[in-house]
């Protein structure tokens, strides 16, 4: 909760870790520490976990459950349910992008954790070095689709052929398409800040740029940041500091206009 008690409900940021899986997240992560520091600006911060054995769709359900939980318990924590943002890195960046782009997509809501009378729509999202389209990845991570069956090349070939329902790998192509946030961008989506480094070989800059361009095409509020010298997980201190300012502005200033 905020360092100093606030007379009115505080905004909330939900931090979604990366590191390729849940429950192995170190609190020493710079992005985590920077998100926690938002409490000194009057913003509450929570951290979200997701099942380590789940694929990207199940993980999306997990994270959406946190958003609905805090909306349902807003009075208990003295937070404003209309001012909730998410900040995700790597695998968490993908999940932050899914939350940002599918807040109005009922079939992707799931019922994990209940509170289904609330939506998982958020007010803003920070998306660090995410997967935006699994078929743009140099290698498709096995955890993303929940299976080690097949390789990236075969799945990409199936995706490119558009349809081959008789292939035993086709179900993974369908799942991959379902959890590509880039395809869900719509006029209802909240402001986003997308950050990635130019030398990122895990989640390439082109994927993040494609998501940004989709936002711009829709006339949405989007900010794109990159550091020419960074690698995966490293966006540089200037972008990190700017991220804190950006999310504080969206949650503390813009909503008052």
């Amino acid at each position: 909760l905020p360092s100093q008690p606030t007379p009115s409900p505080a905004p909330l940021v939900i931090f979604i870790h990366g590191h390729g899986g849940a429950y192995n997240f170190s609190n020493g992560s710079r992005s985590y520490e920077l998100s926690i520091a938002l409490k000194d600006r009057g913003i509450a911060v929570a951290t979200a976990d997701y099942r380590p054995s789940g694929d990207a769709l199940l993980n999306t359900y997990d994270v959406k459950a946190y958003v609905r939980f805090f909306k349902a318990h807003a009075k208990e924590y003295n937070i404003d349910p209309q001012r909730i943002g998410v900040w995700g890195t790597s695998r968490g960046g993908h999940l932050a992008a899914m939350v940002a782009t599918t807040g109005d997509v009922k079939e992707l809501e799931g019922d994990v954790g209940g509170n289904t009378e609330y939506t998982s729509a958020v007010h803003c999202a920070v998306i660090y070095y995410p997967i935006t389209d699994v078929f743009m990845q140099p290698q498709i991570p096995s955890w993303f689709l929940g299976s080690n069956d097949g390789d990236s090349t075969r799945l990409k070939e199936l995706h490119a052929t558009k349809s081959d329902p008789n292939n035993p790998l086709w179900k993974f192509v369908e799942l991959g398409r379902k959890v590509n946030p880039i395809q869900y961008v719509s006029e209802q989506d909240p402001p986003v800040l997308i950050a990635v480094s130019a030398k990122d070989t895990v989640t390439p800059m082109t994927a993040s740029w494609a998501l940004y361009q989709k936002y711009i095409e829709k006339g949405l509020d989007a900010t794109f940041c990159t550091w020419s010298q960074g690698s995966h997980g490293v966006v540089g201190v200037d972008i990190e500091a700017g991220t804190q300012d950006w999310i504080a502005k969206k949650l503390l200033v813009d909503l008052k206009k």
Side-chain angles (χ1 to χ4, degrees):
L1 296 173
S3 302
Q4 299 296 325
T6 57
S8 57
L12 170 71
V13 168
I14 300 174
F15 182 79
I16 313 165
H17 67 80
H19 286 260
Y23 312 112
N24 60 356
F25 169 62
S26 167
N27 286 0
S29 159
R30 265 192 68 80
S31 297
Y32 168 81
E33 298 297 340
L34 289 165
S35 70
I36 291 296
L38 290 169
K39 67 183 178 61
D40 297 329
R41 298 194 183 199
I43 297 173
V45 186
T47 57
D49 266 325
Y50 41 86
R51 72 193 87 181
S53 59
D55 57 44
L57 181 59
L58 296 179
N59 291 163
T60 298
Y61 294 157
D62 295 341
V63 173
K64 283 173 171 278
Y66 279 82
V67 179
R68 296 196 307 270
F69 172 86
F70 281 109
K71 287 185 177 182
H73 295 266
K75 288 185 178 179
E76 178 182 343
Y77 292 103
N78 193 33
I79 59 174
D80 184 347
Q82 300 303 315
R83 291 190 292 165
I84 295 179
V86 290
W87 182 345
T89 62
S90 193
R91 186 171 182 173
H94 166 260
L95 295 172
M98 286 295 290
V99 170
T101 59
T102 66
D104 60 343
V105 182
K106 261 196 148 179
E107 57 267 31
L108 292 180
E109 194 65 32
D111 57 5
V112 174
N115 301 309
T116 53
E117 67 272 29
Y118 298 89
T119 75
S120 62
V122 294
H123 182 67
C124 62
V126 172
I127 302 168
Y128 272 15
Y129 33 94
I131 291 176
T132 65
D133 181 338
V134 67
F135 301 106
M136 293 178 68
Q137 286 294 114
Q139 292 292 322
I140 298 175
S142 59
W143 57 260
F144 196 86
L145 301 180
S147 173
N148 290 314
D149 293 337
D151 58 30
S152 292
T153 301
R154 294 174 69 195
L155 290 176
K156 289 179 182 179
E157 287 173 351
L158 281 173
H159 169 65
T161 62
K162 305 301 182 186
S163 179
D164 187 3
N166 295 320
N167 191 301
L169 295 179
W170 183 249
K171 61 183 178 181
F172 299 117
V173 175
E174 291 184 317
L175 174 59
R177 290 175 173 175
K178 187 175 290 187
V179 290
N180 282 340
I182 197 168
Q183 71 171 317
Y184 295 108
V185 178
S186 68
E187 286 78 5
Q188 289 73 43
D189 292 346
V192 295
L193 183 151
I194 305 166
V196 63
S197 289
K199 295 183 178 180
D200 193 328
T201 58
V202 179
T203 53
M205 185 176 71
T206 50
S208 290
W209 181 254
L211 179 62
Y212 170 72
Q213 285 296 307
K214 187 65 71 171
Y215 265 78
I216 296 305
E217 288 171 12
K218 297 289 185 181
L220 297 167
D221 182 347
T223 300
F224 183 84
C225 303
T226 187
W227 182 32
S228 63
Q229 299 303 308
S231 57
H232 187 68
V234 182
V235 295
V237 294
D238 292 335
I239 291 176
E240 291 169 340
T243 298
Q244 288 181 307
D245 292 338
W246 182 89
I247 204 165
K249 182 175 184 291
K250 295 302 178 188
L251 292 176
L252 295 171
V253 179
D254 286 0
L255 207 64
K256 296 179 182 179
K257 293 180 179 179

